[in-house]
Amino acid sequence: MIYIDRIETQDVVATREISRDEMSDYLLTFPALLWRIEIARSRIELLNARKLPVLEDRSGLFMKSPDFRRRVVLPEDLHFIEAFMEAMKRGDAAETIVRVCATGQEEEQLCWLKVAGWSSPRDPRYYMGYLMDVSDRAEGIRSILEKDAEQQMLIDLAENPTLIVDFDTRQVLSLNTAAASAFMYPGNGMTHLDFGMLHHPGMTNRVHRLFEEIVFARKWEGKLEYVRRSHATFSARTSVRLLTLKGRRLLRVSLTDLRSASGDEDAEERTAPPPDREFARLEKELHARLKPLPDIAEILAVLHAFRLPSYDCDGLLFSDIHQRRNKVFVHWAGEPFTGMPQGEMFPFDGTIAQDIVSYKLDSLIVDDTLDSIKAIDWALFIPRGIRSYFAKPFYRRGVLRAVLILCSRRPAAFPTTGLPEYSILFDPFDKAIQAWRTRQRHQGA
């Protein structure tokens, strides 16, 4: 018999048997080519009989023959599969996706194959994995990207505020920077808002008629009143066009001749402090709050409590980087990380810091951790409900020493347009960490 040691639910821990027949059914019906390799002898000692449609009877050759792989994998993708095979020889967990072209048929068939592997936890001499056709998933992602790109093209060339609204749901799908500025929303803060939240309540009947008329006329022009995020109102000459994109009805809403309710379109801008001046004031205030603090937990608590003008976070992390020792010590603030030890150690490999070093990133934004393949996201963020984060590295003499990470339970909470605001935290954090390190060294002397 084969045993599953523990099956855990919230209230029950149970143990049950899986028969060899059940395991055999699982291996035979799993929708992928399953294999296990004895690394030292470079031989496949287990291979199921799954045939991938693109490779048919030659499916097993993909794992066995370098020559066969070179014949079927697109040349520009060969380095991905070669890097995977090198990782396999080292016993490192790895995965990649490559495009395969099946020749010898009436039409060449292009498919996407995913190969993933890892060392056996019981015996590192063995490396196991699977080869799976993910073409449907790849085409779905490509379709989404193409649709989003085409939507964005509809507005990117416009200098005046422009939005794309779904005709049927009336949700804002995308907008340009001018629209975000006009309505005073941060970054993509308007996406998924109902169009009814943007126009003045007094315009409800007129907007309702707009949606009725545009079905037949395909276009509408007139003056509407709108509401900014600050609840101030303004009017604008509005041009609306009904478009169809990939079977979806969209409205392209373009605003010109913007005027505030008082008739002075610049009134709000003159009463609000210039962003640069306000950001400088906030940065100075944060410096003053952090300067006297000796303890890292206090430093992070103040940083977390310090609210940016347009963005907030549910948690905040400081990664203390020791790359040569392959160690990252993580300190935290915020409710999602309650119960986690301060200074918990993680291996450098697989962390945000490793990505930053590998790809020489100035910063890193993850819009949805559920789409991530990074080990640290699944080990640290996802179990605590963190869906998106912004990470900023800090260097000393060219060596990465610290990473500040703003975390949110909402997806896409940190758009790139927020960088000027995030930067309010950078210098105060950096100086506070330097002072903390200095105190640590003196205490250890």
Side-chain angles (χ1 to χ4, degrees):
M1 295 292 181
I2 297 173
Y3 291 88
I4 292 179
D5 293 328
R6 293 169 69 84
I7 301 175
E8 299 190 13
T9 66
Q10 188 172 359
D11 302 311
V12 179
V13 177
T15 301
R16 84 170 190 87
E17 300 175 350
I18 294 181
S19 70
R20 291 191 180 276
D21 286 342
E22 286 178 309
M23 181 56 69
S24 178
D25 287 344
Y26 169 74
L27 292 175
L28 288 173
T29 59
F30 190 80
L33 183 73
L34 300 176
W35 44 267
R36 191 169 86 155
I37 292 172
E38 187 177 2
I39 299 174
R41 297 174 63 184
S42 297
R43 72 181 187 98
I44 293 183
E45 55 99 34
L46 182 150
L47 188 68
N48 72 352
R50 170 66 62 171
K51 296 178 183 178
L52 304 181
V54 68
L55 300 177
E56 297 182 335
D57 291 337
R58 302 172 299 170
S59 298
L61 279 177
F62 192 90
M63 295 307 303
K64 296 177 180 179
S65 170
D67 289 337
F68 179 72
R69 289 194 295 272
R70 282 192 286 270
R71 289 201 303 271
V72 297
V73 175
L74 265 58
E76 56 267 37
D77 289 359
L78 269 175
H79 66 285
F80 292 125
I81 190 65
E82 290 171 353
F84 174 86
M85 301 307 287
E86 289 299 318
M88 181 184 70
K89 293 174 185 175
R90 297 191 301 270
D92 296 338
E95 62 180 59
T96 192
I97 295 176
V98 296
R99 291 167 294 173
V100 170
C101 188
T103 57
Q105 303 177 8
E106 291 184 7
E107 282 187 15
E108 289 193 346
Q109 180 185 2
L110 184 65
C111 291
W112 299 70
L113 299 185
K114 176 179 179 179
V115 59
W118 56 93
S119 293
S120 168
R122 294 182 181 275
D123 191 339
R125 294 176 301 170
Y126 293 97
Y127 194 84
M128 63 190 74
Y130 61 85
L131 180 67
M132 176 182 288
D133 190 325
V134 293
S135 300
D136 290 344
R137 192 182 313 168
E139 290 302 324
I141 293 170
R142 178 191 290 176
S143 175
I144 291 169
L145 293 175
E146 287 176 352
K147 179 186 71 178
D148 290 347
E150 289 183 48
Q151 283 183 17
Q152 201 63 35
M153 284 175 61
L154 297 174
I155 60 176
D156 276 346
L157 298 178
E159 295 182 0
N160 55 298
T162 307
L163 309 91
I164 299 296
V165 177
D166 187 298
F167 177 84
D168 296 300
T169 67
R170 302 198 180 187
Q171 284 189 336
V172 176
L173 300 179
S174 54
L175 64 152
N176 62 5
T177 304
S181 176
F183 286 92
M184 294 186 171
Y185 277 84
N188 292 323
M190 285 170 63
T191 52
H192 306 302
L193 284 183
D194 190 286
F195 187 67
M197 296 178 64
L198 301 179
H199 67 72
H200 191 280
M203 296 282 107
T204 300
N205 290 336
R206 192 169 191 184
V207 170
H208 181 71
R209 288 196 302 273
L210 182 164
F211 274 83
E212 288 182 338
E213 294 170 7
I214 203 166
V215 173
F216 304 100
R218 310 290 294 182
K219 62 182 179 179
W220 184 93
E221 290 187 2
K223 192 173 183 179
L224 292 177
E225 291 185 7
Y226 297 92
V227 181
R228 290 187 166 106
R229 189 188 185 199
S230 62
H231 305 297
T233 60
F234 69 97
S235 65
R237 189 74 186 170
T238 304
S239 174
V240 185
R241 296 290 183 271
L242 179 62
L243 309 169
T244 302
L245 180 62
K246 296 187 181 298
R248 192 177 191 181
R249 295 188 295 179
L250 307 175
L251 297 180
R252 184 184 189 273
V253 182
S254 178
L255 311 183
T256 55
D257 193 24
L258 278 66
R259 298 180 182 274
S260 70
S262 66
D264 181 356
E265 63 185 275
D266 295 324
E268 284 188 274
E269 285 73 7
R270 285 205 296 268
T271 57
D276 290 348
R277 191 186 308 165
E278 176 67 3
F279 291 174
R281 183 191 68 78
L282 290 171
E283 184 177 314
K284 185 177 180 180
E285 178 184 332
L286 185 55
H287 268 298
R289 292 189 191 181
L290 293 176
K291 190 173 182 179
L293 299 179
D295 181 69
I296 190 61
E298 292 180 89
I299 291 170
L300 298 182
V302 169
L303 276 165
H304 179 241
F306 191 85
R307 296 301 180 189
L308 297 173
S310 307
Y311 303 92
D312 55 21
C313 60
D314 296 305
L316 180 146
L317 298 178
F318 155 49
S319 294
D320 185 14
I321 312 299
H322 299 266
Q323 185 177 352
R324 290 183 180 178
R325 295 163 55 193
N326 190 33
K327 292 181 179 180
V328 174
F329 298 93
V330 177
H331 303 265
W332 60 272
E335 187 273 331
F337 303 105
T338 300
M340 175 178 165
Q342 289 287 1
E344 183 171 353
M345 193 273 288
F346 293 86
F348 177 82
D349 294 340
T351 61
I352 295 169
Q354 185 185 39
D355 277 359
I356 287 171
V357 170
S358 298
Y359 301 108
K360 299 178 173 59
L361 302 176
D362 292 327
S363 61
L364 175 65
I365 294 174
V366 169
D367 285 328
D368 197 337
T369 53
L370 294 181
D371 294 333
S372 175
I373 60 171
K374 286 198 295 299
I376 195 68
D377 288 354
W378 290 91
L380 178 58
F381 294 115
I382 292 171
R384 292 173 172 84
I386 299 301
R387 292 291 300 278
S388 62
Y389 58 79
F390 167 83
K392 172 65 180 177
F394 295 85
Y395 295 83
R396 284 287 166 272
R397 293 182 291 277
V399 177
L400 180 64
R401 290 302 318 279
V403 179
L404 171 66
I405 308 168
L406 310 182
C407 307
S408 175
R409 285 177 163 144
R410 294 181 293 110
F414 303 103
T416 55
T417 50
L419 274 166
E421 284 197 30
Y422 313 150
S423 65
I424 294 171
L425 308 176
F426 296 168
D427 194 55
F429 168 81
D430 194 25
K431 285 186 168 53
I433 294 303
Q434 287 185 60
W436 172 74
R437 291 191 196 282
T438 300
R439 286 190 290 270
Q440 294 287 102
R441 286 195 295 270
H442 289 165
Q443 291 171 4

